[in-house]
Amino acid sequence: MAEATPGYELPLQLFAAFRTIIDAAHADLAEAGHPDVKPMHGFVFQAIGARGTTAVELGVRLGVSKQAAGKTIAGLEKQGYVERATDPGDARRKIVRLTAKGIDMLTVSARSFDRIQAQWAETVGPERLAALQADLRALAPGELFRLDVPGWFNGER
Amino acid sequence: MAEATPGYELPLQLFAAFRTIIDAAHADLAEAGHPDVKPMHGFVFQAIGARGTTAVELGVRLGVSKQAAGKTIAGLEKQGYVERATDPGDARRKIVRLTAKGIDMLTVSARSFDRIQAQWAETVGPERLAALQADLRALAPGELFRLDVPGWFNGER
DNA sequence: CCATATAGTAAACCAGGTTGTCGAACATGG
DNA sequence: CCATGTTCGACAACCTGGTTTACTATATGG
């Protein structure tokens, strides 16, 4: 039983699927009043979480340096999605928290991802989707939240 | 039947799987004498193709400006993967062609992708992998060869 | 023959990543 | 109680790759 498809199609299919989800979620976000968010911001907000975080912690979660995390935070702060407050218990730390706008974005994107997942479950059947996710987990184990994507895609090996 | 996983995990899993394949392929490439190629370059080489192209055309295919395409070409030329020749029929154009090294890189990566696919088939079973690919085709229809990935990643919306 | 369009290049800038350095604030051992 | 070490955040310098603007050289069509 030889492969029906050349091996290079598999990564392209995976990426196309990823891209399809991101584009759909982005369409939802633009419609819900967040037209200026970039593809990966939803994941960044997910990593920040409702309880807030710090630059160092965010860097660890995203798999990037604390400086890069700091830059990202600065940018999101300028756009009004997060705010920084000093930690009363530790004057070195600055707690990064989502603003109301950021929380709204997180809510919308979470709802959008759920909607897309449900739609996919409807398309191929819930058990097929569950099998797909189980297989993906088996085939690509490890940390899910590696958002050093630009650096990875263009970067060193 | 609620989803076992939050919806945002699905795109992350898809991307992680994509990234796993790309990383494995580049490990193979490094071993085969191409240690300095980046993930993006596979798309670029695919866009150049065996017949060659020009900077403007490459920019269109990759979804970036002709200047960005020109920069990429310059970098690949310096690394010896492509070469530029003047078009005898139009002195403005410069035809970009893969060198033997570039073609070797394509060959190695194609073999690598086949190997990874076969390994995945072994891991989850050929029929599960076939089902996964069939589902991906159903869920993310449309053009597989959308090479405007560089522009899409960092691009607006 | 000239006006316009196209190919390629260059400069200045931006985004986002890296490493290195540093000061301020905390933690801890002597 | 203080000296030392560590952690957090910030800054600077640099890299890659993208953008816009501007320019030259070459084609091409009215």
Side-chain angles (χ1 to χ4, degrees):
Chain A
M1 185 192 305
E3 307 93 35
T5 62
Y8 64 80
E9 278 202 12
L10 182 52
L12 287 175
Q13 287 176 341
L14 290 165
F15 184 77
F18 169 74
R19 181 169 172 166
T20 298
I21 293 186
I22 297 300
D23 283 344
H26 203 288
D28 285 358
L29 281 167
E31 204 172 310
H34 299 283
D36 50 355
V37 287
K38 292 183 183 178
M40 304 306 269
H41 278 151
F43 299 127
V44 177
F45 289 4
Q46 205 74 44
I48 294 174
R51 293 177 36 209
T53 182
T54 67
V56 167
E57 201 178 29
L58 185 61
V60 171
R61 284 190 200 166
L62 298 181
V64 300
S65 65
K66 62 179 181 176
Q67 292 89 336
K71 280 193 191 179
T72 301
I73 291 167
L76 291 175
E77 189 179 31
K78 198 178 298 178
Q79 291 187 277
Y81 284 107
V82 305
E83 59 191 0
R84 271 184 277 202
T86 60
D87 185 335
D90 187 337
R92 292 168 307 176
R93 312 179 74 210
K94 288 194 180 169
I95 302 188
V96 180
R97 242 183 256 99
L98 294 173
T99 62
K101 186 181 177 186
I103 290 174
D104 182 66
M105 191 279 190
L106 186 60
T107 307
V108 170
S109 69
R111 203 185 320 136
S112 181
F113 284 137
D114 284 344
R115 181 186 70 74
I116 296 163
Q117 191 188 43
Q119 182 186 311
W120 280 30
E122 200 175 316
T123 302
V124 300
E127 65 293 330
R128 286 288 286 254
L129 182 59
L132 188 148
Q133 291 195 259
D135 289 344
L136 287 181
R137 265 189 294 274
L139 293 168
E143 196 51 54
L144 221 45
F145 273 88
R146 298 170 66 195
L147 292 195
D148 55 336
V149 178
W152 169 78
F153 197 64
N154 307 333
E156 325 297 308
R157 78 182 87 279
Chain B
M1 183 190 318
E3 306 92 35
T5 61
Y8 64 81
E9 278 202 12
L10 182 52
L12 287 173
Q13 288 176 340
L14 290 166
F15 184 76
F18 169 74
R19 184 168 172 161
T20 298
I21 292 185
I22 299 297
D23 283 342
H26 279 271
D28 285 359
L29 281 168
E31 206 171 310
H34 300 283
D36 48 357
V37 287
K38 301 171 187 172
M40 203 195 71
H41 288 153
F43 287 91
V44 177
F45 286 5
Q46 207 70 45
I48 293 174
R51 293 178 36 208
T53 183
T54 68
V56 167
E57 202 180 27
L58 184 61
V60 170
R61 287 191 198 162
L62 296 179
V64 300
S65 66
K66 62 178 182 177
Q67 294 89 336
K71 279 193 194 178
T72 302
I73 291 168
L76 290 175
E77 189 180 31
K78 198 178 297 177
Q79 292 187 279
Y81 285 106
V82 304
E83 59 192 359
R84 272 184 279 201
T86 60
D87 185 336
D90 187 337
R92 293 171 306 177
R93 311 180 73 210
K94 291 192 181 170
I95 302 188
V96 181
R97 242 184 254 100
L98 292 174
T99 62
K101 187 179 177 188
I103 291 174
D104 182 67
M105 189 276 189
L106 273 184
T107 307
V108 170
S109 67
R111 202 183 323 137
S112 181
F113 285 137
D114 285 342
R115 182 187 69 75
I116 296 161
Q117 190 188 43
Q119 183 184 312
W120 280 30
E122 200 175 317
T123 302
V124 300
E127 66 292 332
R128 286 288 286 255
L129 182 59
L132 187 148
Q133 291 195 259
D135 289 345
L136 287 181
R137 265 189 294 272
L139 292 167
E143 197 50 54
L144 207 53
F145 279 88
R146 298 167 68 193
L147 297 179
D148 57 334
V149 178
W152 179 80
F153 249 136
N154 305 346
E156 323 293 308
R157 84 177 84 276

